[in-house]
Amino acid sequence: PYTTLFRSVYYAQTNRHLDILPKVDLGKDFDPTSRDWYKNAYNNPDKVYWTTPYIDQATKSYAITAAKAVVKNGKVIGVVGTDILLSNLSKEISKRELGYHGFPIIIGNNGTAIAHPTKFGKDLSNYSYVKDMLGSHKNSGVVRTDEKDKTYITIYDTLPNLNWKIAAVYDENQIYQTSKDIRNIFILMSAILLVILF
């Protein structure tokens, strides 16, 4: 199922030769070694380089690129990369069921919803829970917010390199309802036990 996330995969060699799947004609003058994804990965061979979100020219959708240098005998011989469509990533993330009627989200460091079940691509920087996450000096934590007579609990962590917030959002009432159900089961069991003892 994850193959739909990737728009293309490519390998650029130091001699400017580029292999790309699916095949695309970029013209004879195309120089992959002049691109930021190539240069950043080449200059930092021990890390995976992630670009900021951009509009993909072929699909007109938001995408990001991940690139990693290929090293042989201590020397960089090329860079391998892949383009990931954020719309497909959002759909894949939104399919995940977290329990307690919670839902997963990914928020970019500028407040854009990278993955969200209903607000994909929208600027959420004015939402209080997003402000709290982005404004916090902690890489992970819990944020409580009140919205439309409901209290939401957001548990978040930070993706390294990208500084995106990946989070799970829960309606507090759903969590408490589960604890109440468990409590009621124990009360019922205790009552039955008391009846048996009598």
Side-chain angles (χ1 to χ4, degrees):
Y2 296 104
T3 54
T4 59
L5 293 177
F6 306 103
R7 192 183 77 77
S8 57
V9 179
Y10 37 87
Y11 174 56
Q13 298 178 37
T14 53
N15 63 4
R16 294 176 44 187
H17 177 76
L18 178 71
D19 292 308
I20 184 169
L21 291 173
K23 290 193 176 293
V24 177
D25 184 12
L26 298 173
K28 293 180 180 179
D29 295 332
F30 180 76
D31 180 6
T33 63
S34 68
R35 302 291 168 154
D36 284 342
W37 57 265
Y38 182 96
K39 291 190 283 189
N40 281 286
Y42 185 94
N43 293 326
N44 299 281
D46 296 329
K47 297 180 179 179
V48 175
Y49 172 73
W50 293 89
T51 66
T52 55
Y54 61 90
I55 298 290
D56 178 64
Q57 292 302 311
T59 63
K60 305 302 180 190
S61 299
Y62 277 103
I64 56 172
T65 296
K68 175 75 172 70
V70 178
V71 180
K72 184 176 181 181
N73 298 326
K75 184 179 179 182
V76 177
I77 60 171
V79 173
V80 64
T82 184
D83 296 335
I84 301 170
L85 292 178
L86 295 183
S87 57
N88 291 349
L89 175 64
S90 183
K91 288 175 188 173
E92 195 62 41
I93 295 292
S94 296
K95 288 179 189 175
R96 300 288 171 253
E97 294 183 10
L98 302 181
Y100 306 106
H101 301 283
F103 58 90
I105 60 171
I106 300 176
I107 304 296
N109 51 15
N110 61 352
T112 301
I114 303 297
H116 197 288
T118 58
K119 297 181 175 70
F120 167 71
K122 294 184 179 178
D123 180 6
L124 304 183
S125 58
N126 287 328
Y127 285 67
S128 58
Y129 73 99
V130 174
K131 282 182 182 177
D132 289 345
M133 285 192 296
L134 296 179
S136 173
H137 298 294
K138 297 178 181 178
N139 286 331
S140 59
V142 178
V143 174
R144 294 184 76 221
T145 49
D146 295 316
E147 187 180 314
K148 296 179 181 177
D149 299 328
K150 287 186 177 180
T151 299
Y152 291 95
I153 297 173
T154 304
I155 303 165
Y156 71 91
D157 204 345
T158 303
L159 290 172
N161 300 324
L162 289 171
N163 290 322
W164 292 357
K165 303 299 182 186
I166 183 164
V169 182
Y170 298 95
D171 180 347
E172 188 177 60
N173 287 333
Q174 292 292 339
I175 296 173
Y176 286 150
Q177 185 58 49
T178 301
S179 65
K180 288 176 184 174
D181 290 343
I182 295 170
R183 182 199 63 190
N184 291 341
I185 289 170
F186 276 101
I187 290 172
L188 180 62
M189 288 174 61
S190 298
I192 291 171
L193 182 60
L194 284 171
V195 169
I196 292 171
L197 288 174
F198 277 118

